[in-house]
Amino acid sequence: MGHETDDVFVSELVSIASDALGIPASEIPIGASFQNGLGVDSLGMMEIVLAVESRFQVRIPETEIGRFADGSITDAAAYVRAKRRLREGD
């Protein structure tokens, strides 16, 4: 289930999920959804969202949290990358 990646966004998101779930990063599949694949509940999702916002200096609107929860770590990495590009473009 381990993952080899040089994508800093994916690596950081795995670390955040690992901390929130209390499981080793090597056991977190990057293609599994937070909610259905990793079993993150709404409180855990809020913890992850707050950590992502803090780590990457992005804002995830409340209306987007459900979509974020339904997505995978790779989806979240793409989302954060896009948010950062938008912010840096301002």
Side-chain angles (χ1 to χ4, degrees):
M1 245 193 271
H3 39 80
E4 303 303 321
T5 181
D6 57 0
D7 185 329
V8 68
F9 291 98
V10 169
S11 297
E12 288 292 326
L13 283 158
V14 167
S15 178
I16 289 168
S18 172
D19 290 345
L21 297 170
I23 60 175
S26 61
E27 294 180 17
I28 297 180
I30 61 173
S33 77
F34 285 101
Q35 201 165 31
N36 296 321
L38 297 173
V40 178
D41 63 14
S42 58
L43 186 58
M45 199 65 231
M46 285 308 301
E47 181 181 343
I48 289 170
V49 165
L50 292 172
V52 168
E53 288 179 332
S54 175
R55 167 61 185 93
F56 294 108
Q57 299 299 302
V58 296
R59 170 92 171 90
I60 301 169
E62 193 172 323
T63 56
E64 294 287 310
I65 293 173
R67 190 175 80 153
F68 200 83
D70 288 337
S72 66
I73 287 178
T74 51
D75 295 334
Y79 179 90
V80 170
R81 192 177 295 108
K83 292 287 260 183
R84 293 270 305 234
R85 267 195 222 117
L86 284 174
R87 189 189 77 202
E88 292 169 2
D90 289 341

